């Protein structure tokens, strides 16, 4: 029996794994494990393989949230040290690729099915143009995907979450100022993330002299979507405006004629608001140049990073 490839998507709370045949991007036997129950990435990955009855692998590709280094490095939201030699030994494989999570998402883009994408405006352009993927979750990640002349793709991880929050109106400026700690630079991911939703909401209620009735990002999002809290509704409006402006800025900087893709857990949950509101208009507004033709998609696939990991294993080394 042919050996299988392992794909993994490692977050701060959960580790997700699946298996894929060599040369394929169709993932099987997907399972989610709680990181608190394990002491290291090697432990949780080996536990998954043991549960699947897998002794040895053909290869493995693991996506992690954080900056990937060649030497040992620490996960961003987990005190696990990633060591390639140790991980290869526990997985019993000679080939291991470790990717940034948005690098894996970028590599997934050519392999996503139409049924798992919701398009919000733009034209249908030739597929082999530069694409970008970004998305708010715990942080605000981004990567670009560039076509190579000889075929295939190159993923280019970025750090969109650490640029300044783009404000354009007096109301936005005042709100950003009220959210900013003295002596700090207000980064985009302080607002355009799950935690950012809560910060915006608390600041809006404080400025209005009202108590903050909601205490979690999930509560703020739900109240905004059902219209039960006016401050939550205003919070989501600001959140969407800033997400649109950041997506437009990134598309303009990279000339992403192949499309902009929104990933993560928040975008799919607000897809109707993105379709119906001002999101597309704000995304396109860039002065002398515009982004009218650039297609924008929301990724609805539950595990797109797995496809990117599989694609990385299928590509020849650059």
């Amino acid at each position: 029996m042919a050996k299988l490839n392992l794909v993994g998507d490692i977050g701060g709370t959960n580790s997700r794994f699946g298996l894929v045949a060599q040369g394929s991007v169709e993932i099987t036997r997907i399972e989610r494990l709680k990181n608190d129950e394990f002491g290291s990435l090697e432990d949780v990955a080996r536990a998954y393989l043991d549960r699947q009855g897998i002794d040895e692998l053909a290869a493995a590709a693991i996506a992690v949230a954080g900056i990937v280094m060649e030497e040992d490095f620490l996960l961003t939201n987990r005190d696990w040290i990633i060591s390639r030699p140790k991980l290869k030994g526990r997985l019993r494989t000679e080939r291991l690729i470790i990717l940034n999570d948005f690098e894996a998402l970028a590599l997934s883009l050519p392999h996503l099915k139409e049924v798992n994408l919701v398009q919000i405006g733009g034209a249908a352009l030739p597929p082999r143009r530069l694409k970008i993927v970004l998305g708010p979750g715990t942080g605000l990640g981004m990567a670009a995907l560039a076509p190579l002349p000889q075929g295939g793709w190159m993923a280019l991880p970025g750090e969109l979450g650490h640029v300044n929050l783009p404000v354009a109106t007096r109301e936005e400026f005042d709100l950003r100022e009220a959210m900013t700690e003295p002596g700090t630079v207000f980064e985009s991911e302080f607002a355009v993330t799950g935690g950012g939703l809560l910060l915006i909401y608390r600041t809006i209620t404080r400025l209005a002299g009202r108590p903050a009735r909601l205490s979690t990002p999930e509560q703020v999002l739900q109240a905004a979507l059902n219209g039960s809290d006016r401050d939550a509704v205003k919070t989501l409006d600001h959140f969407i405006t800033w997400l649109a402006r950041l997506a437009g800025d990134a598309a303009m900087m990279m000339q992403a004629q192949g499309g902009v893709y929104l990933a993560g857990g928040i975008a799919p949950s607000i897809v109707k608001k993105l379709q119906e509101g001002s999101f597309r208009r704000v995304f396109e507004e860039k002065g002398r140049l515009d982004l009218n033709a650039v297609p924008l998609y929301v990724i609805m696939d539950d595990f797109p990073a797995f496809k990117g990991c599989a694609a990385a294993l299928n590509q020849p080394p650059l």
Side-chain angles (χ1 to χ4, degrees), residues 35-173:
N35 290 344
D36 284 344
E37 299 176 8
F38 302 92
S40 67
L41 176 55
E42 303 96 79
D43 289 344
V44 68
R46 187 68 249 171
Y48 167 78
L49 291 173
D50 290 343
R51 290 156 73 117
Q52 300 299 327
I54 303 293
D55 184 48
E56 294 184 75
L57 295 164
I62 308 291
V64 299
I67 299 175
V68 176
M69 312 288 287
E70 286 302 316
E71 304 300 325
D72 293 358
F73 64 95
L74 189 69
L75 280 185
T76 300
N77 297 311
R78 193 82 193 176
D79 61 349
W80 288 354
I81 295 175
I82 308 301
S83 166
R84 283 179 169 81
K86 288 182 180 179
L87 189 54
K88 286 173 72 174
R90 291 293 298 279
L91 297 180
R92 297 172 197 150
T93 182
E94 289 301 315
R95 187 179 179 214
L96 170 67
I97 298 175
I98 301 178
L99 308 101
N100 166 267
D101 53 351
F102 271 80
E103 183 181 5
L105 286 170
L107 289 169
S108 78
L109 300 182
H111 305 283
L112 296 176
K113 297 177 180 177
E114 190 174 336
V115 68
N116 291 322
L117 296 170
V118 174
Q119 184 170 354
I120 303 175
L125 295 176
R128 286 192 61 78
R129 298 281 190 91
L130 188 139
K131 311 170 188 289
I132 61 172
V133 58
L134 60 103
T138 303
L140 177 61
M142 176 198 154
L145 187 70
L148 296 171
Q150 68 272 27
W153 299 86
M154 174 185 284
L156 306 167
E159 289 293 346
L160 183 65
H162 300 290
V163 305
N164 292 349
L165 185 71
V167 298
T169 68
R170 171 51 59 183
E171 181 183 12
E172 290 176 0
F173 182 88

